[in-house]
């Protein structure tokens, strides 16, 4: 629940920033001079992009949370609590690589199972590869949606 509270707080902060930015864009447009209007229109694009990015991020988070709940109900949620950790709290690199290799082998046995894609995405995250974790999680979401 703590992570969700932080996400809500950050979303509110971004929302306030976007409203203020939109206000500046409108003020520039109202100025009436050609350079100010062009700049105002350019600045107005930023809040629109910001709203789209925030909405897409929340939508993705909700989908991932749905998959996590479903896996938890099935008893298949990945558990890394037994992996050795560094003093910083991060999983030991060697242990993370080994855990990743096992998740990868599971996926290769059944590449159409969204659960295995979810666990591989989690393994990428534990290994510190966030870009691949996001891409793999998107694949898990696609397969789960087709499964429903």
């Amino acid at each position: 629940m703590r992570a969700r509270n932080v996400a809500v707080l950050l979303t509110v902060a971004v929302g306030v920033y976007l409203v203020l930015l939109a206000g500046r864009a409108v003020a520039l447009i109202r100025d009436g001079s050609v350079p100010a209007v062009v700049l105002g229109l350019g600045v107005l694009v930023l809040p629109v992009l910001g709203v789209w990015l925030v909405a897409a991020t929340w939508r993705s988070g909700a989908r991932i949370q749905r998959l996590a709940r479903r896996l938890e109900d099935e008893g298949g949620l990945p558990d890394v609590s037994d992996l050795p950790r560094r003093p910083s709290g991060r999983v030991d690199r060697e242990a993370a690589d080994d855990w990743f290799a096992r998740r990868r082998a599971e996926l290769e046995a059944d590449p159409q199972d969204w659960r295995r894609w979810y666990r591989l995405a989690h393994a990428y995250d534990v290994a510190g590869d966030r870009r691949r974790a996001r891409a793999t999680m998107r694949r898990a979401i696609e397969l789960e949606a087709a499964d429903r």
Side-chain angles (χ1 to χ4, degrees), residues 83 91-103 123 126-128:
L83 295 179
V91 174
D92 179 66
R93 181 68 183 190
E94 207 171 288
D97 289 345
D98 182 52
W99 198 77
F100 174 83
R102 286 183 279 157
R103 300 298 79 80
V126 168

Side-chain angles (χ1 to χ4, degrees), residues 94-143:
E94 207 171 288
D97 289 345
D98 182 52
W99 198 77
F100 174 83
R102 286 183 279 157
R103 300 298 79 80
R104 183 93 161 146
E106 287 175 5
L107 175 67
E108 289 171 357
D110 186 5
Q112 295 305 312
D113 184 7
W114 68 266
R115 293 159 190 87
R116 294 173 192 237
W117 282 94
Y118 182 99
R119 286 190 282 270
L120 182 64
H122 190 73
Y124 272 124
D125 187 57
V126 168
D129 192 344
R130 304 288 189 267
R131 184 183 57 79
R132 286 189 178 144
R134 284 189 297 273
T136 305
M137 189 60 77
R138 280 192 293 273
R139 179 71 176 138
I141 290 169
E142 290 169 5
L143 287 171

Side-chain angles (χ1 to χ4, degrees), residues 25-122:
V26 169
L28 283 167
I29 292 168
R30 283 185 180 161
D31 180 79
S33 67
V34 173
V37 170
V38 170
L39 185 59
L41 290 172
V43 170
L44 195 57
V45 169
L46 297 175
V48 171
L49 285 175
V51 167
W52 178 79
L53 283 171
V54 168
T57 300
W58 274 99
R59 187 174 50 249
S60 175
R63 289 174 179 164
I64 292 168
Q65 190 65 31
R66 185 186 69 236
L67 267 59
R69 277 193 220 106
R70 191 167 165 196
L71 262 180
E72 185 176 33
D73 291 345
E74 296 173 359
L77 202 58
D79 181 21
V80 294
S81 61
D82 61 334
L83 295 179
R85 299 194 177 262
R86 296 184 198 162
S88 66
R90 295 190 71 179
V91 174
D92 179 66
R93 181 68 183 190
E94 207 171 288
D97 289 345
D98 182 52
W99 198 77
F100 174 83
R102 286 183 279 157
R103 300 298 79 80
R104 183 93 161 146
E106 287 175 5
L107 175 67
E108 289 171 357
D110 186 5
Q112 295 305 312
D113 184 7
W114 68 266
R115 293 159 190 87
R116 294 173 192 237
W117 282 94
Y118 182 99
R119 286 190 282 270
L120 182 64
H122 190 73

Side-chain angles (χ1 to χ4, degrees), residues 1-10 58 65 69 72:
M1 191 58 125
R2 187 176 191 284
R4 177 176 243 155
N5 293 342
V6 170
V8 168
L9 181 64
L10 290 174
W58 274 99
Q65 190 65 31
R69 277 193 220 106
E72 185 176 33

